Amino acid sequence: MAKLLSSSIARKVSMALSGLFLIVFLTQHFTINITSVISPETFNEWSHFMGTNILVQGVLQPILIFGVVFHFVMGFILEYQNRKARSVKYAKFSGNSNSPWISRNMIISGIAVLLFLGLHFYDFWVPEMNTKYIQGDMSGTMMIDGENQLRYHHETVEKFAHQPVRVGIYVLAFVFLMLHLLHGFASSFQTVGFNNKYSKALNGFTKAFSIVIPLGFAFIALYHYFSTL
């Protein structure tokens, strides 16, 4: 029993740590993407650096992909364990009535985010890998308005221009991301044992982050869509 409990705790801690790692990436990704609205030149420069830097491409990108896969696999394992435990008949069970909908349906928001990641990879990562590693073009440039320019901002705008369905899917996905973060971000700190006088302030920060960042991503997609109408 002790061994099983220890294993279960280890899985939850691993899940929490991988989630916190992905939040670091999410922050970095948003920081770069928001410049596509503020400064296209900066967005091009940062995107080109991230897309051609050996350390980023050869080390950080594989770690990120592993982190995503690990987080979701661990999430499915924990969900299976929870469902299996709930199948046991108890004299009285009121867990559902004492917990919010978000915390009881993390698997739903998680699956929605996972499906969105598949679309996002198809939209941006797959074409990028094709251009750089199959076609062998590492320049990051293309002909735009008769000039050879960095292509990243142009490609981002074109992906959302006149694509209301795609934009709608992106916005809906960011709503699910918000729901996932609203419970997951704060609970990750609780899982790893962060419980002191700063917990209340940290909880406020996680809630603000969980709302602002997804809304920021939705704003970027909407901005590029409406700016081309």
Side-chain angles (χ1 to χ4, degrees), residues 121-172:
F121 270 49
Y122 174 79
D123 280 347
F124 292 98
W125 187 79
V126 172
E128 187 70 12
M129 294 300 102
N130 176 63
T131 298
K132 290 188 300 187
Y133 301 115
I134 296 179
Q135 299 180 20
D137 182 6
M138 299 293 291
S139 67
T141 61
M142 67 183 299
M143 293 300 296
I144 304 173
D145 298 328
E147 297 181 6
N148 198 35
Q149 305 177 32
L150 287 174
R151 56 182 168 78
Y152 306 100
H153 184 265
H154 176 78
E155 289 178 342
T156 300
V157 174
E158 287 297 307
K159 190 61 67 175
F160 296 111
H162 312 297
Q163 297 285 341
V165 174
R166 175 179 275 108
V167 173
I169 293 173
Y170 268 66
V171 172
L172 180 61

Side-chain angles (χ1 to χ4, degrees), residues 54-176:
I54 296 177
L55 177 63
V56 173
Q57 292 295 302
V59 179
L60 297 183
Q61 184 169 256
I63 292 175
L64 172 62
I65 293 175
F66 173 79
V68 171
V69 173
F70 179 86
H71 185 74
F72 281 101
V73 169
M74 194 60 63
F76 287 126
I77 292 174
L78 290 173
E79 177 66 16
Y80 170 76
Q81 290 180 330
N82 290 338
R83 288 182 179 274
K84 188 175 181 181
R86 287 197 296 267
S87 66
V88 178
K89 301 298 183 180
Y90 292 95
K92 181 178 181 182
F93 175 72
S94 59
N96 285 352
S97 62
N98 295 331
S99 60
W101 184 92
I102 297 175
S103 65
R104 289 184 283 109
N105 293 277
M106 287 291 284
I107 192 65
I108 296 177
S109 58
I111 290 174
V113 173
L114 183 60
L115 292 174
F116 164 71
L117 284 176
L119 173 63
H120 191 59
F121 270 49
Y122 174 79
D123 280 347
F124 292 98
W125 187 79
V126 172
E128 187 70 12
M129 294 300 102
N130 176 63
T131 298
K132 290 188 300 187
Y133 301 115
I134 296 179
Q135 299 180 20
D137 182 6
M138 299 293 291
S139 67
T141 61
M142 67 183 299
M143 293 300 296
I144 304 173
D145 298 328
E147 297 181 6
N148 198 35
Q149 305 177 32
L150 287 174
R151 56 182 168 78
Y152 306 100
H153 184 265
H154 176 78
E155 289 178 342
T156 300
V157 174
E158 287 297 307
K159 190 61 67 175
F160 296 111
H162 312 297
Q163 297 285 341
V165 174
R166 175 179 275 108
V167 173
I169 293 173
Y170 268 66
V171 172
L172 180 61
F174 292 132
V175 171
F176 277 107

Side-chain angles (χ1 to χ4, degrees), residues 5 15 17-18 28 40 61 69 79 85 99 134 149 172 178 188 201-202 208:
L5 179 61
M15 177 77 170
L17 292 176
S18 64
Q28 172 264 326
Q61 184 169 256
V69 173
E79 177 66 16
S99 60
I134 296 179
Q149 305 177 32
L172 180 61
M178 181 192 303
S188 293
L202 180 62

Side-chain angles (χ1 to χ4, degrees), residues 26 109 113 172-182 210 214 217:
L26 189 68
S109 58
V113 173
L172 180 61
F174 292 132
V175 171
F176 277 107
L177 175 62
M178 181 192 303
L179 295 174
H180 199 72
L181 289 174
L182 277 171
S210 301
F217 277 115

